[in-house]
Amino acid sequence: MRESLRITEIFHSLQGETSRMGLPTVFIRLTGCPMRCTYCDSAYAFTGGKTMSLDDIMAQVESYGCPTVCVTGGEPLAQKPVHLLFKRLCDAGYSVSTETGGGQPIDCVDPRVSRILDVKTPKSGELPNMLWANLEAVNEHDEIKFVLVDRSDYEWARELVLTQSLHHKAPVIFSPVWESLKPVELAEWVIADKLPVRVQVQLHKILWGEKPGV
């Protein structure tokens, strides 16, 4: 029996986040997520989708002629065959990243994949489900991301970054929740505190609004 994954969508767009922002990218969005963050912008991927073989996934990715791939969700690491997909993508020469919510172990991800680790803040509602061992697994090839709802989230994240010296382990990104925290406020806080982090907005939402397939 061929290995397969439950897929919500595969599409070609611009990367809206991380250090790859603005780079043409093929997105593979897997279905399902054990978390329910208060600000989730991809709840449509919680259920549904369609089962696709790895061969069919690879063929659709190849059809776009794009060398950069992001495996996202939902929570991509919740489906174990995703590790076979990582290997096939990397073996085929793609530059691969994956976006994970932090509740699944990342140490088993193919080392050629850049792991974007989303650290859950108190206002996410999923802090108790954060797997803290993941912060020990990251390296300079990865990125650590904090999605911030308000000032209290910012202060919590600031202390974690500084006390754990996270910026020495991997690049750190602070991102405001869309239409909840004003980007200019976050920028001013980071500048005032001289934090060694990157402030980032979601480019795809600025360009196309909040909708699937972008």
Side-chain angles (χ1 to χ4, degrees):
M1 180 178 178
R2 294 186 301 173
E3 291 288 353
S4 61
L5 289 164
R6 195 71 180 172
I7 302 293
T8 292
E9 57 186 350
I10 301 176
F11 61 96
H12 186 214
S13 185
L14 298 182
Q15 175 58 263
E17 303 174 85
T18 78
S19 63
R20 301 182 179 199
M21 177 188 282
L23 190 66
T25 301
V26 176
F27 292 86
I28 306 172
R29 187 180 300 282
L30 275 64
T31 305
C33 183
M35 291 186 173
R36 292 294 183 268
C37 298
T38 57
Y39 48 73
C40 181
D41 58 5
S42 56
Y44 62 91
F46 288 166
T47 58
K50 64 178 180 179
T51 300
M52 295 181 65
S53 70
L54 296 190
D55 288 343
D56 289 342
I57 294 170
M58 292 296 295
Q60 187 166 342
V61 170
E62 184 179 0
S63 72
Y64 292 114
C66 178
T68 306
V69 177
C70 178
V71 181
T72 185
E75 172 50 66
L77 302 188
Q79 294 191 50
K80 299 311 176 187
V82 74
H83 296 289
L84 297 176
L85 177 61
F86 289 146
K87 184 178 187 306
R88 290 193 58 174
L89 289 168
C90 292
D91 287 349
Y94 291 102
S95 176
V96 184
S97 65
T98 189
E99 298 178 346
T100 173
Q104 304 290 321
I106 67 170
D107 56 357
C108 53
V109 173
D110 192 302
R112 295 171 291 180
V113 175
S114 177
R115 302 165 298 186
I116 313 304
L117 178 64
D118 188 346
V119 178
K120 297 308 176 186
T121 66
K123 290 294 179 68
S124 73
E126 288 290 346
L127 180 59
N129 293 317
M130 180 69 194
L131 187 61
W132 294 107
N134 283 334
L135 288 177
E136 299 302 319
V138 296
N139 57 49
E140 66 277 2
H141 184 53
D142 305 316
E143 297 179 27
I144 302 170
K145 182 174 71 171
F146 293 84
V147 179
L148 308 174
V149 175
D150 58 14
R151 176 75 189 191
S152 64
D153 259 4
Y154 167 78
E155 293 178 354
W156 180 89
R158 177 189 64 195
E159 294 310 304
L160 185 62
V161 169
L162 296 177
T163 58
Q164 299 294 321
S165 297
L166 296 184
H167 54 294
H168 292 310
K169 298 179 179 181
V172 179
I173 297 168
F174 276 18
S175 181
V177 172
W178 185 253
E179 295 185 342
S180 177
L181 174 59
K182 293 180 179 179
V184 66
E185 291 184 337
L186 176 57
E188 290 171 350
W189 299 340
V190 167
I191 292 170
D193 289 336
K194 300 180 176 63
L195 281 189
V197 305
R198 174 180 294 178
V199 174
Q200 190 170 85
V201 294
Q202 294 174 295
L203 177 63
H204 53 293
K205 292 182 181 179
I206 295 173
L207 294 176
W208 294 293
E210 193 167 8
K211 61 181 182 180
V214 296

